[in-house]
Structure formats: C-alpha cells, structure tokens
Amino acid sequence: MALKYLITGATGGLGKQVLNYFVANVPFAEFAAASSNASNESIFADRGIAFRHVNYDDPQSLDTGLRDVENLLFVSMSGMHRQEQHARLIGAAKKSGVKHVWYTSLAFGGLQNDSKAPVMQDHLYTEQLLHGSGLTYTSIREGVYAECFTIFLDWYPERTGSIVLPADGEVAFTSRAELGEATARIMIRGGYENQTILFTAEETITAAELVDLMNKTTGREIKLDLVSRGEYLRSWMNDPRGKPKEHFEMIASSWDEIARGGLQRTHPLMREILGRAPTKPRDFVTNLLKEDKDYVFIY
C-alpha cells in the first residue's frame, strides 16, 4: 500500500514542525515519520504515528524506508559528508519510485544560484543532483530561522559591552514554526513540480536593528562594533568561551554574503501558502526576548 507522505528528520527542528501540522490536519494512515535512529520509533508509536527508519548513511534503510512513498520530505543533513549523504538518498528515492521529492534548501542568494556562502554550496549541489535525477522535485529555499539570530550576532547572555561583527546587512529572518507549517501545507497542496521556491518573512532586519531591539526589550546597553574582517577573525584568540577559529570563520563568511545582499530577498509565496502574513522578524525577536531576556538559540 502506498504511503502518501513520508517526513524525514521528524525529530529535528523543522521536521518536527512539519509533522505537527500533519498530525493536526491529515489522516494518520496517509503519513509516517522517519528518523535516522531506529530507536526513535517509540517516540512516534506512543502518538499513534507510523514510523520508518531512514538513515542517509545506511543504504538498506533507504531501500526499505522509501518503499512505496509518494511524497518525500527530504530534510537536509548537516556536517562534512552532506553531499555524499544527499546523493545516496536521491539515488534511493529514484530506485524506490518516489513520486515527488520536497527538499529543504536554504535561502542564501534568494532564487539565484550564485551564492558564495560556504553553507549554501551543499544545497546548490543537491539541487543540481535533483535537477539531473529525473525525479519530480521541489526545492524549498527556507529563510534563515529567526530563532537563530543570536548565532548570527554571536551573542550570549554573559557578554557585556559590545557585539563585534565584520559586517552588517539585511536578513529576512523567518519563524521556523511557520516554515514548518508552510512546508507541510505546500506538500499537501501539491504542484511546483521541478521548481525552486522561496519561503521567507516579508521584511528584513539588520544586526544594528537587532542590537537596538535587544536593548529596548531587555534593558541592556549593548553596542555594535563593526570591525575589519581580519580584526574580527583575530578575536578568536581572546574569546572567553574558547571558541575555535573555525567558529569565527563561519560567522564571517555568513556576514560576507549578507553584506552582499544574500539574505535580503523576500517573497510573497509564504504568505499565500499560510493564508496570512508571516511574522515580522522584529515582532518575532521581540516576543522571544520578552519571554526570556537571556534567550540564546540551542542547536
């Protein structure tokens, strides 16, 4: 019997939000949750949700887990071996006859394919694989999670005085819960075959504006210091947290792209799919900080 929807990454931040929408709106017989960890089956069984073991590093689990699936939510992996993992899953999806692959990509570069952000390169590679695979697919470039704003600012509650960054620019920070809902809705709605689409909030916010918002909401007196890229990268040597140099290189490369407008692009599609306006970045961050003035994103 065919399974209409399979949701990979169902224990992760985005996949969990997609699954929640299915649980509330779709008959349980039509969908299943998937995880790379077979022991997670009990988490879903307790809720009456069907489960499949899908591990991107385990070809056998891909062969069995993707069998008779019509719509596959392909949640992207993280880590050094993402390209190999994604290629393996795409090959298995084709072998298993998956009807439509819905891939969770990233919004660096908007709808263009020229982003230089290191974090975007594996997504561009995966989109190219999907395009050449013969599978029907939709690549959903998801806006950067608004919940992650503290990562981009490299801010933590113990920090006083200044936030130091190598650049500033506009970012269409987008609620992860709303991205999950929109992703679920578009899978159920269907269409957008062999297209790349963009889900974002409809407004942007800068680092300077975020710092100002933090001060107004929490009563702090933080300043934003913009320094040269070289000076920023050298700051790892005096970091009180002991973060490695790679941490600062990752943040610097993100701001390189942001300063070029790489996360500035917004799009009305998410409003159309949700049936309402996405939460504005300013409103989302304000609400987070009102609930917890020491909020930081936890991976």
Side-chain angles (χ1 to χ4, degrees):
M1 179 179 176
L3 179 67
K4 196 166 185 180
Y5 306 100
L6 180 64
I7 301 160
T8 67
T11 59
L14 180 66
K16 184 184 299 183
Q17 299 294 342
V18 175
L19 180 64
N20 287 343
Y21 188 85
F22 273 87
V23 167
N25 294 280
V26 176
F28 275 43
E30 294 187 2
F31 67 91
S35 171
S36 61
N37 188 343
S39 66
N40 284 333
E41 181 173 5
S42 61
I43 297 174
F44 303 106
D46 291 344
R47 300 169 63 187
I49 300 169
F51 175 81
R52 292 195 180 187
H53 179 216
V54 175
N55 187 322
Y56 294 15
D57 292 319
D58 179 0
Q60 181 61 46
S61 78
L62 294 177
D63 288 343
T64 57
L66 302 186
R67 187 173 299 157
D68 298 321
V69 170
E70 295 184 6
N71 290 273
L72 172 66
L73 177 66
F74 173 10
V75 174
S76 59
M77 296 291 288
S78 60
M80 294 179 60
H81 305 292
R82 180 158 56 180
Q83 290 191 7
E84 294 90 340
Q85 292 168 323
H86 287 188
R88 194 176 295 119
L89 183 133
I90 290 169
K94 184 173 183 178
K95 178 181 176 182
S96 299
V98 172
K99 299 289 192 301
H100 195 144
V101 176
W102 303 82
Y103 175 61
T104 62
S105 188
L106 193 57
F108 275 97
L111 289 170
Q112 303 301 312
N113 297 321
D114 56 358
S115 172
K116 300 296 189 267
V119 70
M120 189 64 193
Q121 302 314 301
D122 289 345
H123 292 290
L124 294 173
Y125 171 81
T126 302
E127 290 177 353
Q128 290 174 353
L129 287 182
L130 285 167
H131 181 71
S133 69
L135 288 161
T136 298
Y137 72 93
T138 304
S139 183
I140 308 171
R141 293 190 180 176
E142 313 259 2
V144 173
Y145 300 156
E147 291 87 344
C148 293
F149 82 94
T150 58
I151 293 177
F152 283 80
L153 295 181
D154 199 21
W155 184 83
Y156 48 97
E158 298 79 15
R159 187 166 200 159
T160 59
S162 298
I163 287 175
V164 179
L165 292 175
D168 197 359
E170 298 180 45
V171 181
F173 282 113
T174 309
S175 159
R176 182 169 61 182
E178 290 179 347
L179 285 168
E181 179 184 342
T183 299
R185 281 177 175 267
I186 204 168
M187 289 178 66
I188 295 166
R189 174 173 167 170
Y192 302 93
E193 290 89 351
N194 302 321
Q195 295 182 38
T196 297
I197 63 175
L198 185 62
F199 278 167
T200 68
E202 295 181 322
E203 292 187 5
T204 62
I205 194 167
T206 65
E209 291 169 333
L210 282 169
V211 170
D212 182 62
L213 191 61
M214 291 170 65
N215 288 335
K216 289 179 178 178
T217 307
T218 69
R220 289 182 164 89
E221 296 182 354
I222 304 166
K223 295 181 180 179
L224 175 63
D225 287 342
L226 296 179
V227 300
S228 70
R229 196 180 198 280
E231 182 178 347
Y232 177 76
L233 291 176
R234 288 191 294 273
S235 66
W236 76 273
M237 293 182 287
N238 299 311
D239 183 63
R241 301 163 296 173
K243 292 285 186 180
K245 185 177 181 180
E246 291 75 15
H247 171 83
F248 292 86
E249 290 173 341
M250 179 269 293
I251 292 174
S253 67
S254 295
W255 282 106
D256 288 342
E257 187 74 3
I258 292 168
R260 290 192 290 263
L263 289 176
Q264 182 179 6
R265 177 74 181 272
T266 64
H267 199 281
L269 180 59
M270 191 168 170
R271 172 195 283 265
E272 176 189 335
I273 299 299
L274 289 175
R276 64 183 188 276
T279 304
K280 299 176 181 178
R282 176 175 294 274
D283 293 339
F284 190 91
V285 172
T286 297
N287 290 335
L288 274 182
L289 294 174
K290 282 183 177 179
E291 293 175 4
D292 180 4
K293 71 181 183 66
D294 293 331
Y295 170 83
V296 291
F297 181 75
I298 305 297
Y299 288 93

